[in-house]
Amino acid sequence: MVVGILEVTVAIEGAYSLKEKRSVVRKLVDRVRNRFPVSVAEIELHELYNRAVIGVSTVGNDRALINSVLDKVLDAVADIGIGMAEIVDSRLEILNV
């Protein structure tokens, strides 16, 4: 079994409240969830209104496929976030379990 983990830190430029931040994060999470066979959620920095950390994971039996899916998710987050959020850091890890 192969487990892929992607952690994406985004800066939310136009958010001046937690309500505005949650709106942007919800859009990112929902759109990624609808486009890809992955689990996705906000995992850190819940109380900061201008930053968020989004975690994405997927499981499969082909390391190359897992890597490809998570690369596409990272590209999608960048595309979806245009004008709302900017990726400031990302970390991809693939584990053979």
Side-chain angles (χ1 to χ4, degrees), residues 70-81:
L70 292 178
D71 283 341
K72 289 177 184 175
V73 168
L74 186 59
D75 292 340
V77 169
D79 290 343
I80 293 166

Side-chain angles (χ1 to χ4, degrees), residues 18-87:
L18 288 177
K19 185 176 181 179
E20 291 173 340
K21 172 196 175 177
R22 288 186 184 114
S23 173
V24 171
V25 171
R26 189 177 311 115
K27 286 178 187 175
L28 288 171
V29 167
D30 289 346
R31 291 179 185 173
V32 168
R33 187 178 289 138
N34 289 333
R35 288 178 59 183
F36 299 98
V38 297
S39 295
V40 57
E42 181 182 7
I43 58 172
E44 288 182 27
L45 304 179
H46 298 284
E47 298 303 319
L48 291 178
Y49 64 85
N50 59 355
R51 296 266 178 172
V53 180
I54 299 171
V56 182
S57 66
T58 188
V59 177
N61 58 0
D62 184 4
R63 185 179 182 90
L65 179 63
I66 297 295
N67 193 23
S68 174
V69 167
L70 292 178
D71 283 341
K72 289 177 184 175
V73 168
L74 186 59
D75 292 340
V77 169
D79 290 343
I80 293 166
I82 291 176
M84 295 185 298
E86 178 184 345
I87 296 175

